[in-house]
Amino acid sequence: MRTTSAHDTPHDARKLLGIYLNDHLAGATAGVDLMQRSAKSHQDSPLGPQLERLAREGAQDRESLKEIMRSLDVPERRSRAALGRLVEKAGRLKLNGRLFSRSPLSDVLELEAMRLDVQGKASGWLNLRALAQRDDRIDTARLARLLERAEEQAEMLEELRTRCAVRTFATGHAAATAGHPKGHHPKPRGTF
């Protein structure tokens, strides 16, 4: 399968790889910032230890990406990393049902965003693994470990997201039917 056109040059491919990896670095920066903020918000909750682990591993993965970029002679564009931080901060302005404070929906949305970040990271590792077939500067054993860890992180985030979603969305229904016989739900006022 041909991935370049007749007009592409090695310089173009190198430039495109630089853009791609710097975009992944920006995403990693935003993801780590979100994970660290979320871990801090939950330091005294049951989610705390898992979120701290994810934040620590995310920071290690970002450093691995920087090392891979150096091995490929791809310069780090600090402006892109700064953009990643700005995107993460803008993500805090989401509609969560509360104007100035966290809501239970904040946890669900943040866990979804973290899972998407990890899936993007895994895609990046997969693309680098494919490139490694043509570029011996890429350590395939390291990529295999990074990919395995990303898959574990995605599984952990999916489990946390599911638990938070059930807790967040089922609570209202459970509260509304509490004290009523199973299968009997009170009718809202004003209905027949």
Side-chain angles (χ1 to χ4, degrees):
M1 181 174 176
R2 190 172 159 87
T3 58
T4 59
S5 75
H7 302 291
D8 289 336
T9 65
H11 176 72
D12 292 334
R14 185 169 178 251
K15 180 180 176 184
L16 293 173
L17 179 63
I19 292 169
Y20 178 77
L21 293 177
N22 273 286
D23 284 350
H24 269 274
L25 182 58
T29 299
V32 168
D33 286 354
L34 174 59
M35 289 174 185
Q36 289 173 341
R37 184 171 52 82
S38 189
K40 186 177 179 182
S41 298
H42 291 283
Q43 63 188 7
D44 296 324
S45 83
L47 291 176
Q50 290 169 303
L51 292 172
E52 286 175 21
R53 174 185 160 196
L54 286 164
R56 185 176 55 256
E57 289 179 359
Q60 292 167 352
D61 293 345
R62 181 178 57 192
E63 288 307 309
S64 292
L65 176 57
K66 288 179 181 182
E67 290 169 13
I68 290 168
M69 290 170 68
R70 284 191 292 272
S71 74
L72 294 171
D73 297 319
V74 172
E76 182 181 330
R77 303 284 183 225
R78 298 200 190 283
S79 59
R80 290 227 191 248
L83 180 62
R85 284 201 160 88
L86 183 63
V87 166
E88 191 279 326
K89 289 184 186 351
R92 297 178 193 186
L93 301 175
K94 64 196 165 297
L95 300 175
N96 64 7
R98 294 192 183 156
L99 194 54
F100 297 109
S101 63
R102 291 181 61 80
S103 82
L105 186 55
S106 299
D107 293 340
V108 176
L109 294 172
E110 287 175 0
L111 288 165
E112 284 181 359
M114 286 184 248
R115 188 163 192 278
L116 289 171
D117 179 69
V118 168
Q119 287 175 310
K121 174 172 53 180
S123 292
W125 300 145
L126 286 168
N127 285 333
L128 284 168
R129 187 174 70 181
L131 181 60
Q133 295 174 8
R134 297 177 181 212
D135 193 328
D136 61 1
R137 297 175 296 173
I138 300 172
D139 182 347
T140 55
R142 181 183 206 178
L143 282 175
R145 290 188 303 271
L146 290 167
L147 186 56
E148 182 179 339
R149 181 154 76 175
E151 291 167 353
E152 290 170 5
Q153 292 166 347
E155 287 176 22
M156 180 190 303
L157 284 163
E158 179 60 16
E159 191 239 316
L160 293 174
R161 184 201 61 77
T162 301
R163 269 196 288 157
C164 281
V166 169
R167 184 186 71 226
T168 300
F169 303 133
T171 303
H173 176 72
T177 59
H180 298 281
K182 190 172 184 165
H184 175 75
H185 302 284
K187 291 182 184 176
R189 290 185 177 187
T191 62
F192 297 108

